[in-house]
Each structure stands twice: as C-alpha cells, then as structure tokens.
Amino acid sequence: MDFSQELHDSCLTDVSTSSMLTSINAAALGSAEVLGGNAFKSKDPRLSTTPSLVNKPLSDDTDDVIFGKHYGVRTIELNRPQKLNSLNGSMTRKIFSRLKEWEKSQLANAIIIGGTSPQAYGPKKPLPKAFCAGGDVAAVVIQNSSGAEGLELSKSFFGLEYQLDHLIATYSKPFIAYMDGYTMGGGVGLCVHAPVRIATENTIFAMPETSIGFFPDVGGSFFLPRLEGQIGTYLALTSNQLNGVNTFYTGIATHYIHSSNLLNLTGRLAELEFKDYDSLQSRLSIINATIEEFGTGIPHDQRMVIAGELRRAIDRCFKYNRIEEILEALESEKEGKVAEWASQTQHTLLERSPTSLKVALKQMRLGKDWDISETFQREYHMAARFMARPDFASGVSARLIHKPATKPEWDPPTLDQVKEDEVDQFFRVEGEDRLYLSENGAWKEYPFHLALPTERDVERVVGVETEKGSPAQKAKVRVLKAMIRDSRGKLGVKEKVEEILERCCVVGKRKELRWGSEDLSV
C-alpha cells in the first residue's frame, strides 16, 4: 500500500507558500510587552509584574478581523483572504483585546473563530479556503535583516502571538474554532488549544516549521507530545499534512462536520441559553451535543491514514531520542510493509534543517512535562534564539521569498555537525526574562476532552473485559458498544475504536481479549 502518496505531499506547495508570504512593515507587526526584571530569575517562576499588551499602532489595518454578535454568540472572522488569513500583529492585538472585553460580558455565552472565504472577493485565480494558513514569517525575516531593532520587534511579535494562544487555552467561556480550510503554523495556535475544534472536508493541517529552519511553536510543545503514541513527534519532525477527517481521527480536531453546515450550526449555537451557575464543563457538554446534531457522517472515500501497520511503524521509528536513531529505524523498515513510506520519510527528514530537527525532537520529549503557561514562556525564548540563527532566514527566504523556491542552505548542513550544547541552549532559561501571561495555566493536561476516545480510554474498558475472561470476539463487541454508549453515539467513535482494538489487542491463553502485542493463544 502506498502510504507515502497520502502522507508526504509537501507542506510548501504554491498554495501554502503564498499563504505564508505576506508583506507588512515593522510597525504593523508591532510589539508585545515582555516581563522585564526577574520572572525567570525569581524563585517562583510564575511571578510576573507587567501588563501584556501595548497600545494599538497607528498602522494597524482596520478590517483584517471582523467581529460580530448573534444573540449569545460572539464571532471572530479572520479577514485576509488573499493571504489565506495569515496572522499578523494587527490581527493579534485586536483579537486579544476583544476576547478580554467579551470575557467580562454576561451577554457573551460562547466565542466562535473562523476565516473569511476568498470566493467573496472574486480573485482572478480562485484561492483555496483557509482558516489561517500561518504567520507572517516572510515579513519577520525581512524585518530581522534591519538589525538588532528588527530582531527585537520580531521577538515581540512572537510574544504577542503566544499571549493570545495562551489566552485561548485558558479562556473562561466556551471557545469554538472552525478549522475550515488551511490550518497551519500560527493558525494552529488559534484553534488547537480551544476545547472545541471543528474540522471539515476543507481542513488541511500541518506544522511546517522544520522545513523553514524554525520549530513547532504556538504551543506545539504542549499539544504534539500529548497526541497518541508518536504521532506528534512524527508530525513535528516531518511537517507532513493531514486532511480534515484524519485531523479528527488523530484528536487534533474534536468534531467533523461538512462545511455547508457551519452557518446553520452558528445559528443554533447562538440560540443556546445557559444558567448563570452552569460550569464551563456543563456548557461545553451542551455545545458538544448540539454540534453532533449537525454531523452527516464520515466520508467513505477518506480512510483513516495513520492507522494499522503504518501507525505501528510510526511508533516504532519515532520513539527514539536521537534523530540518527530515528533514521536508522526507518532504514530497517525498508524491507517491510511500509517500505515506501519509510524511504520517503527518511528522505523528508534529511531535507529539513538539522538544527530544527534536533531541537524539535528534544522539545517533544521535554514538553510533555511542561504546563501550558511554561510552554509558551519557554517557546518565546526558543523563538528568539531561532531568529538569531541563520537557518530561519535561509529557510524562509529559500522556500517562501525566492521565486521560484530554492533549496535552503542549512548551517550547520548535517546532523552530525549540530552540537548537543547548541541544542541545549534553546532550552536554557535561567536568568532570562519571562513572557507575561495574563491568565494562570498550571495544568499539564487539557482540562476538557471532547475528541474521540483515546487508546488509554479503550485500554481501560478492555481491562474490564479481560478480568471477566469473556471470549475475545464477544469482548470486542461489548467494548465497542460501551464506547459508543459512553460517547452518546458520537460520530467517528466506531471507526476509531475498531482500529484501536485491531491494532492493540491480542487473544490470551484462555481465548480472552487482552491488551498487548503478543498473541498468547497459540
């Protein structure tokens, strides 16, 4: 089976390249105030003393974000369709400020964020649909070339972006993201930490940073290591894309509905009424049930890609803590069922920035122990260090600025030339200032789970059946029925649970269902 055809289309096609290539000036990027003094220097690393945002620069665009209200719903519409709604400082400031206002309003029950459709603007060449296809990295590189002042402005832009992402992650009201179209890089930060993330048939997800000499930021240190198995590490290192239904199956999205239902869904959500004493969990449960009303089924022509033998291979190959070991593991797969995928993945990794690969891999291993606030504060310093290195400028210039695109010149050019101490520098924050975050976020796991069941969820139910000693086939049926019942018939549960049972369960010596990889029945 040709897994490589489905998983290795480049994230830097003409479409995604144009989406990230924006030209705004330094003033439009603006700046975010960063905690001066002793946050990282303090005995308590969460102490902070200064406000987060600066005043609006005069150069901010007036209509790059459209805000709306419909009964209890407040809407945010990213409005740069010709740039596939790529995120800039002007948009970030507006969204942050408006979210803070709505948080205080008793009339605002829920927030929905989405992207403007390009069809409404009638371009000569139709543009694809985008939620948000990334940040203004091309403009950042151009700005950095002006010297120390440009680097400081760019650092502040990333700080402001991370402050917004953190606010979304810790928001006190239901936050719903319509991932309808390209959802990449900076766009991922606007949705992946929200409790409700809706994918559609238009969704194309990717974290393409290692291909431009950067690292998976916007909270990638948090959400990627918490995906099942080694899926997060695989996506972080390769920059590969996932379509809408596979974004849903991996847990990146919590729901999947057809884009034609989004407008009606918005109207239905606007009609919802909550009691004043309803907790955020209660409100999200009501919203979850409402969204399920609009499900029209999983597309039959789009199978679960990261599944079965490929998923096993991803877990086998990407479990290591050194890129060199991952490459060796891929080499050993070239004689098996996923030979073509292994060869292509090996080739993909060798095209990425060696520094980015090593930093991103360590980021995946350390990030699983960071809380949500520490994640953004550490990424802020990682971003500053990457901007000071040549790979970021080389990668963005070669892939996004030059026409036609060229091959980046990485420095150092090979993995063996990247020193471990250089990698460690990206994670050293002792004595550094700490990014100010306006909300507390000490949790290390997302507090709300509305996505499909995870392997851990299925394992618990399988354990109950194992204790009963029921015949394996009957036990599988009971596990599936229990998971569907507990999810209240959620779309996609049947397909996800069946795949997990097939891949993760074996028959025990007594013919019972058992969680594990070794068949004991023979």
Side-chain angles (χ1 to χ4, degrees):
M1 184 172 293
D2 184 3
F3 296 110
S4 62
Q5 182 65 35
E6 297 188 61
L7 277 174
H8 287 84
D9 292 337
S10 171
C11 290
L12 293 170
T13 60
D14 290 341
V15 170
S16 54
T17 297
S18 65
S19 71
M20 299 177 74
L21 232 178
T22 60
S23 54
I24 56 175
N25 57 33
L29 277 175
S31 61
E33 287 187 19
V34 175
L35 174 64
N38 59 0
F40 269 25
K41 304 168 188 174
S42 168
K43 293 180 180 180
D44 182 354
R46 289 186 175 79
L47 290 178
S48 50
T49 58
T50 54
S52 61
L53 296 177
V54 296
N55 293 328
K56 168 187 169 184
L58 295 176
S59 58
D60 270 8
D61 193 347
T62 57
D63 59 357
D64 49 12
V65 184
I66 300 173
F67 298 101
K69 60 180 179 179
H70 184 44
Y71 296 109
V73 160
R74 300 295 180 266
T75 59
I76 303 168
E77 192 173 17
L78 309 180
N79 188 38
R80 300 180 76 205
Q82 289 84 356
K83 300 296 184 181
L84 299 191
N85 298 323
S86 56
L87 188 68
N88 61 22
S90 167
M91 299 162 76
T92 306
R93 274 185 293 278
K94 290 186 183 74
I95 296 170
F96 189 102
S97 298
R98 192 60 62 97
L99 286 177
K100 297 299 287 185
E101 291 176 15
W102 287 340
E103 201 165 31
K104 300 173 185 176
S105 171
Q106 294 182 346
L107 299 178
N109 289 334
I111 315 300
I112 298 175
I113 187 170
T116 299
S117 172
Q119 286 79 8
Y121 290 78
K124 294 180 180 179
K125 183 179 179 181
L127 294 171
K129 179 65 178 165
F131 164 62
C132 175
D136 284 304
V137 291
V140 168
V141 165
I142 293 170
Q143 180 170 261
N144 288 349
S145 65
S146 65
E149 183 179 354
L151 281 169
E152 193 61 32
L153 283 170
S154 297
K155 180 181 176 181
S156 296
F157 166 67
F158 281 109
L160 176 60
E161 182 183 18
Y162 299 164
Q163 287 173 330
L164 173 60
D165 296 339
H166 180 267
L167 176 61
I168 292 171
T170 57
Y171 205 60
S172 61
K173 296 189 176 187
F175 196 100
I176 303 157
Y178 289 171
M179 302 165 62
D180 186 29
Y182 278 88
T183 304
M184 298 182 178
V188 174
L190 295 178
C191 64
V192 77
H193 307 294
V196 182
R197 310 175 296 277
I198 301 176
T200 74
E201 77 284 0
N202 298 319
T203 301
I204 299 178
F205 167 93
M207 292 294 287
E209 287 79 9
T210 59
S211 62
I212 57 169
F214 203 50
F215 73 104
D217 64 333
V218 296
S221 308
F222 194 90
F223 84 87
L224 286 167
R226 288 163 178 79
L227 296 178
E228 294 174 287
Q230 297 300 322
I231 293 175
T233 302
Y234 170 70
L235 295 174
L237 298 181
T238 63
S239 300
N240 284 336
Q241 298 178 355
L242 292 176
N243 64 12
V245 71
N246 281 287
T247 303
F248 175 51
Y249 280 136
T250 58
I252 295 168
T254 58
H255 300 80
Y256 179 89
I257 68 173
H258 197 274
S259 61
S260 61
N261 287 331
L262 291 178
L263 185 60
N264 289 334
L265 172 61
T266 301
R268 180 75 178 87
L269 292 172
E271 297 171 351
L272 296 178
E273 295 183 359
F274 304 120
K275 297 180 177 64
D276 291 342
Y277 54 80
D278 281 344
S279 65
L280 181 54
Q281 179 65 66
S282 297
R283 297 177 186 218
L284 288 171
S285 295
I286 295 171
I287 289 172
N288 180 49
T290 302
I291 295 172
E292 290 298 323
E293 297 173 10
F294 290 82
T296 54
I298 299 293
H300 296 295
D301 60 341
Q302 297 182 27
R303 67 184 183 85
M304 192 185 304
V305 175
I306 301 183
E309 193 57 41
L310 177 60
R311 170 60 197 284
R312 292 189 186 99
I314 288 173
D315 288 351
R316 285 195 300 267
C317 295
F318 285 83
K319 66 182 179 182
Y320 298 102
N321 295 328
R322 295 177 64 248
I323 296 294
E324 293 85 352
E325 290 179 295
I326 292 174
L327 290 169
E328 290 173 5
L330 288 167
E331 183 69 28
S332 69
E333 297 285 344
K334 288 185 178 180
E335 301 300 323
K337 297 179 181 179
V338 293
E340 189 171 355
W341 167 83
S343 178
Q344 180 61 56
T345 301
Q346 199 176 51
H347 176 74
T348 297
L349 291 176
L350 292 174
E351 287 187 331
R352 303 301 185 235
S353 159
T355 300
S356 293
L357 287 178
K358 290 205 168 186
V359 172
L361 181 56
K362 186 164 186 174
Q363 174 193 2
M364 294 301 101
R365 301 302 181 247
L366 297 179
K368 61 184 175 59
D369 295 321
W370 296 346
D371 65 39
I372 192 66
S373 293
E374 183 180 9
T375 291
F376 289 109
Q377 289 163 330
R378 285 184 175 274
E379 287 186 359
Y380 170 71
H381 290 283
M382 293 171 70
R385 289 184 171 92
F386 264 105
M387 284 187 292
R389 295 182 64 89
D391 276 10
F392 182 54
S394 177
V396 172
S397 298
R399 299 293 181 95
L400 305 179
I401 296 177
H402 295 164
K403 295 295 183 180
T406 59
K407 185 177 180 179
E409 294 184 6
W410 305 126
D411 182 16
T414 61
L415 288 165
D416 61 299
Q417 292 176 290
V418 181
K419 307 303 181 185
E420 289 304 314
D421 185 64
E422 294 176 356
V423 175
D424 292 342
Q425 288 293 333
F426 286 88
F427 300 92
R428 289 176 182 156
V429 296
E430 294 80 4
E432 298 280 358
D433 294 336
R434 196 176 189 96
L435 179 70
Y436 174 85
L437 298 173
S438 62
E439 303 292 338
N440 182 40
W443 36 268
K444 292 188 176 182
E445 297 291 338
Y446 287 111
F448 309 108
H449 181 73
L450 301 180
L452 292 174
T454 65
E455 290 170 9
R456 189 177 300 176
D457 298 328
V458 177
E459 183 180 6
R460 283 195 290 266
V461 181
V462 168
V464 174
E465 291 298 327
T466 301
E467 291 182 3
K468 292 179 180 179
S470 305
Q473 195 55 43
K474 289 185 178 179
K476 281 187 176 183
V477 173
R478 280 202 289 267
V479 169
L480 183 59
K481 286 184 177 179
M483 300 301 296
I484 293 174
R485 180 192 65 238
D486 291 348
S487 69
R488 298 183 180 179
K490 182 179 178 67
L491 181 72
V493 169
K494 177 178 181 294
E495 292 81 359
K496 178 72 182 287
V497 173
E498 285 178 339
E499 191 280 327
I500 293 174
L501 290 173
E502 180 65 27
R503 176 170 47 83
C504 297
C505 291
V506 295
V507 179
K509 291 182 179 179
R510 296 177 290 110
K511 308 299 181 183
E512 81 280 10
L513 185 67
R514 185 173 294 276
W515 189 269
S517 57
E518 184 180 357
D519 194 332
L520 304 175
S521 63
V522 293

